[in-house]
Amino acid sequence: MWVHPQFNPVALQLGPLAIHWYGITYLAAFGMFLWLANLRVAQPAPAARGWVKRDVDDLLFFGVLGVVLGGRLGYVLFYKPAYYLANLGEVFAVWKGGMAFHGGLLGVILAMALFARLRGRSFFEVTDLIAPCVPTGLAAGRVGNFINGELWGRAADPSLPWAMVFPQSGSTLPRHPSQIYQFLGEGLLLFVLLWLYARKPRLTGQVSGMFLIGYGMLRFAAEFFREPDDFLGLRALNLSQGQWLSLPMIAAGLLIWWWASRRRPA
């Protein structure tokens, strides 16, 4: 049986400056987005819409603000509002961990809406461009979760070859390494599917809708193996809060894809 190695969350200490693994994974996520987005604007469909490489730098700036602010505030509001209300000084202590994908998604939506307005583009034209570049960032975030030994999985059959003990959980139960499942599903698998889907010309909004559908379904499935946080009370019908938050995402993706499919191409 595997045992989580309990990595030091600090990757490098330079005097009083501590560089955390979690921060490095975010830096890697933004770097991969920059690389993939530059490849994306060179594809025939985005290039035909007038996208150029200099747009990518501005998109990254808006995206970073949306991800960091939205992800952190989403975690604060969705998961531990009472704790952070009593500890306001820790609200923006992102180096201690605690980012919510659904909050980050809302933050990116607002940031991209602002970018679209400033550039005179439609909102879905912007999100269709960036959607295939997002899953690798999600994969990097799950690597950070694994290094930190957080968001461990539910108890697993001891005979499962990759079952792992997470001492951080306070028990010696073998568990599913759910961070790895999410890395492979919401990260790599979703990236491959979306990248291949977006390579062909699509109607405005279809790529964005497919992203919401794909992520929502893969996250919903992963939650069956991920241990729900003890401080969350929303578990109606034996579904976790992550699953309840994924359902409207899937519904919105289906609605957007259907709406986009019925529109005439510009």
Side-chain angles (χ1 to χ4, degrees), residues 5-224:
Q6 296 183 277
F7 299 100
N8 186 339
V10 177
L12 183 63
Q13 187 80 42
L14 299 173
L17 178 63
I19 301 176
H20 290 73
W21 284 111
Y22 207 65
I24 292 176
T25 60
Y26 266 77
L27 185 62
F30 297 138
M32 286 187 288
F33 174 87
L34 189 63
W35 175 57
L36 291 172
N38 276 303
L39 294 178
R40 182 98 172 95
V41 297
Q43 293 175 341
R49 293 177 178 265
W51 288 104
V52 293
K53 289 189 175 182
R54 65 174 175 269
D55 293 324
V56 173
D57 297 332
D58 295 334
L59 278 168
L60 179 63
F61 173 76
F62 280 82
V64 168
L65 290 180
V67 167
V68 175
L69 295 179
R72 184 58 176 177
L73 291 176
Y75 181 80
V76 169
L77 296 175
F78 296 158
Y79 292 92
K80 289 187 174 183
Y83 173 82
Y84 287 104
L85 184 61
N87 299 272
L88 292 175
E90 295 187 26
V91 168
F92 292 104
V94 293
W95 55 89
K96 294 185 178 181
M99 299 286 281
F101 168 79
H102 299 91
L105 177 64
L106 291 175
V108 169
I109 287 173
L110 292 175
M112 293 303 103
L114 178 59
F115 177 88
R117 184 177 180 84
L118 293 174
R119 292 300 177 89
R121 292 183 178 272
S122 72
F123 171 73
F124 286 118
E125 190 178 351
V126 176
T127 55
D128 281 354
L129 178 78
I130 67 169
C133 310
V134 171
T136 52
L138 302 179
R142 295 310 173 193
V143 171
N145 294 147
F146 181 78
I147 290 174
N148 285 352
E150 60 191 9
L151 307 183
W152 49 77
R154 300 175 192 250
D157 188 324
S159 64
L160 186 71
W162 54 84
M164 178 173 288
V165 173
F166 287 87
Q168 300 92 329
S169 68
S171 74
T172 57
L173 287 175
R175 296 179 179 275
H176 290 280
S178 56
Q179 313 97 323
I180 304 301
Y181 297 174
Q182 292 185 267
F183 165 81
L184 295 172
E186 304 156 18
L188 299 189
L189 177 60
L190 183 60
F191 164 70
V192 171
L193 295 176
L194 268 182
W195 192 263
L196 294 176
Y197 180 77
R199 288 186 67 179
K200 296 182 178 181
R202 302 292 177 184
L203 297 175
T204 302
Q206 285 187 323
V207 176
S208 301
M210 194 60 68
F211 170 81
L212 292 175
I213 296 168
Y215 178 85
M217 293 178 66
L218 290 167
R219 174 63 182 269
F220 188 92
E223 287 285 329
F224 285 113

